[in-house]
Amino acid sequence: MQIMKPWILALTLAAFVAVGCGSDNKTSDTSTTTNGGSSTSSTGGGNAVALTGAGSTFVYPAMSKWTAAYQQANPGVTINYQPVGSGAGIGQLKAGTVDFAASDVAMSDKELSEMPGPVVQVPMISGCVTIAYNLPGIQSGLKLSGDVIADIYLGKITKWNDPRITGQNPGVNLPDTPISVAYRSDGSGTTYIFTDYLSTISPEWKAKPGKGKTIAWPVGSGQKGNAGVAGLVKQSVGGIGYIELAYAVQTKMTYAQVRNKSGKYVEATIDSTSAAANAAVDALKADIRTSIVDTSAPEGYPIAGFTYALVEKAPKDAAKGKAVVDFLNWVLGPGQDMAKELQYAPLPPSVVDLNKTALQAVGSK
């Protein structure tokens, strides 16, 4: 935890400063909020509502900015979000200690059946997982294929000058440095996205460690949170770790281009993440839980996924349930473009429409 806290503090401060500097408007007694595609008025003099949420660290930079901006426009609402990891967030929703959770993997049928009541889950934003590394003198341009990444995490490739890495990086002077593997030690949706990708790419990975929010890692050292893994990689020459793009950019990490299904080495960006999401729209209409790793889009980045908001369909507190839905509809509106500044990719419009329809079920009889 000593590693995690400074990074989270820095990201929180950055998010709040960005919001403060980006708006010169003062909130009057009556403020305007976006509910889905339309505008509705809410008064600052209404009953105060305090919401609590927990879960994904993947989405935390965006969530910090969203909650700050939303509270500024809606003085009667306070939102306290704790980045404790997707698994812990689901656990808190199950225990009834939070009003909503955020997870980088949708809940399975089994998980849904174990909840006290029905849960509505909708993607809030799409993002990608970078393969960050620490190799002094190699600040950009490193290329890695999925099978190589899998074998690094299986412990089969142990040096940076292994022929399978140098063969993909002609002209790059890779050192005879041991590879120091870093992974998430907590229950994590980021881990799920990463291991979902490795299981898709590598039959050996699928058969052995497999995919999940937590797994038995064959090699390496663990830390809690994206920020913890980022700190571990930065401290270890020869380090490698999987880190959400916003954290990698905020902490000035160096990360590799990853070869996609089309054979192209693609950098992790908003556009390449959007390409992966857009290529899966038809499948998402059939099942909103569809994975978007190993995309078929030629320009798509292959380690991408969604962060889902999880809300009880029949919240015990109707006012809080309505407030959560209002906040999420705002996230699906102006919150999408706001998150782009933090390296998240907006959802395809058709997925936004699916989400708004799903949210209408919250609080319904």
Side-chain angles (χ1 to χ4, degrees), residues 275-357:
N278 286 323
V281 164
D282 288 342
L284 289 164
K285 289 179 180 178
D287 187 348
I288 202 66
R289 298 176 293 183
T290 297
S291 171
I292 59 171
V293 301
D294 194 31
T295 178
S296 60
E299 303 300 322
Y301 183 74
I303 319 178
F306 299 112
T307 296
Y308 292 81
L310 313 175
V311 189
E312 290 180 318
K313 183 178 179 181
K316 298 177 182 64
D317 187 319
K320 284 191 172 185
K322 181 182 183 305
V324 170
V325 170
D326 288 346
F327 170 61
L328 292 177
N329 274 319
W330 180 89
V331 165
L332 294 171
Q336 296 294 293
D337 284 338
M338 184 178 293
K340 288 173 65 176
E341 301 170 20
L342 294 172
Q343 310 303 317
Y344 297 89
L347 298 172
S350 56
V351 175
V352 170
D353 291 341
L354 290 172
N355 289 343
K356 291 178 181 177
T357 299

Side-chain angles (χ1 to χ4, degrees), residues 113 136 222 244:
S113 70
E244 191 272 328

